[in-house]
Amino acid sequence: MSNLDNITNKIQSEAKAEAEAILDRAQKDSHAYLEGVKAQVEEEIARQVQYAADKAEASKDHVMAGARLQARDQVLSAQQDLLNRIFDAARAKLQAMSDRELLDLVKARLASYAPETGDVLVLPLGRKLALPPEIPVEYDAHLQSGFALRRGGVSEKHDYLEILDFLRDDLAPDLLELVQKA
């Protein structure tokens, strides 16, 4: 029986060694697998963190762009309000022009104007100017301020409110520049 014991012991010892080798290999494989999974998880975490950082940066850029647009809109709105107040004040001053001021402007224009028969000076309704009698005067309800000189069928209009409205877009940048310098 000793042979049988020896064989049994040998089989048990080989089985034990093989079991230990399998267990060792399983532990190494398990450890390698866990390290691989751990590396994948760390990579995924790093990707998620980077994604969140990128998304936060994009959101920040979006918010900043929106804030810049809002600030620009507020500046443009304030500039437009300022221009409206300037032009409203200019319109009010032109509409409130005294007869004396209008007469001086008409005389200055007539000084370089050689009147002919049939010429007519057109004034806004309600304006009475002391002009030489050789220049006939008519009144026009559509003329807001200033005057017009009519020769034949052609009118040379000096309606200051219309001129101001016509030049508004051209004057606006210069007015804003002057205001900013002041």
Side-chain angles (χ1 to χ4, degrees):
M1 270 224 331
S2 75
N3 255 349
L4 191 55
D5 286 336
N6 285 341
I7 293 175
T8 305
N9 285 337
K10 187 176 179 184
I11 291 174
Q12 282 179 342
S13 127
E14 285 175 3
K16 186 177 179 184
E18 192 176 328
E20 286 176 4
I22 290 172
L23 183 59
D24 189 43
R25 195 175 35 232
Q27 284 179 342
K28 285 181 183 176
D29 287 349
S30 170
H31 183 69
Y33 177 76
L34 287 175
E35 288 298 318
V37 168
K38 182 179 174 184
Q40 287 177 347
V41 167
E42 287 173 356
E43 286 176 14
E44 183 61 26
I45 288 171
R47 271 196 298 273
Q48 291 294 329
V49 167
Q50 186 61 45
Y51 174 77
D54 292 347
K55 193 171 183 177
E57 185 67 27
S59 291
K60 181 186 100 178
D61 291 346
H62 181 71
V63 168
M64 292 297 288
R68 281 191 294 275
L69 284 175
Q70 187 176 11
R72 186 207 63 190
D73 289 348
Q74 288 174 345
V75 167
L76 290 175
S77 177
Q79 287 176 340
Q80 190 61 47
D81 290 344
L82 178 63
L83 285 173
N84 288 340
R85 287 194 319 254
I86 290 170
F87 280 101
D88 288 346
R91 288 181 69 80
K93 187 166 181 149
L94 288 170
Q95 287 175 321
M97 183 186 305
S98 71
D99 286 344
R100 182 76 198 142
E101 291 171 312
L102 182 58
L103 179 62
D104 291 343
L105 290 170
V106 170
K107 283 183 178 179
R109 178 61 187 104
L110 291 177
S112 65
Y113 185 80
E116 296 178 3
T117 306
D119 287 356
V120 176
L121 176 67
V122 181
L123 296 173
L125 280 176
R127 294 289 191 154
K128 302 291 182 197
L129 302 182
L131 292 168
E134 64 269 8
I135 301 175
V137 176
E138 289 182 5
Y139 297 96
D140 184 350
H142 299 290
L143 190 61
Q144 299 177 41
S145 70
F147 61 95
L149 294 170
R150 192 168 53 226
R151 178 175 280 170
V154 179
S155 249
E156 182 182 310
K157 219 171 176 187
H158 297 269
D159 187 332
Y160 300 122
L161 293 179
E162 284 185 13
I163 293 169
L164 182 66
D165 290 341
F166 179 76
L167 294 175
R168 180 182 174 121
D169 290 341
D170 294 332
L171 294 172
D174 295 334
L175 288 171
L176 287 174
E177 186 177 325
L178 285 172
V179 168
Q180 288 174 353
K181 286 181 182 178

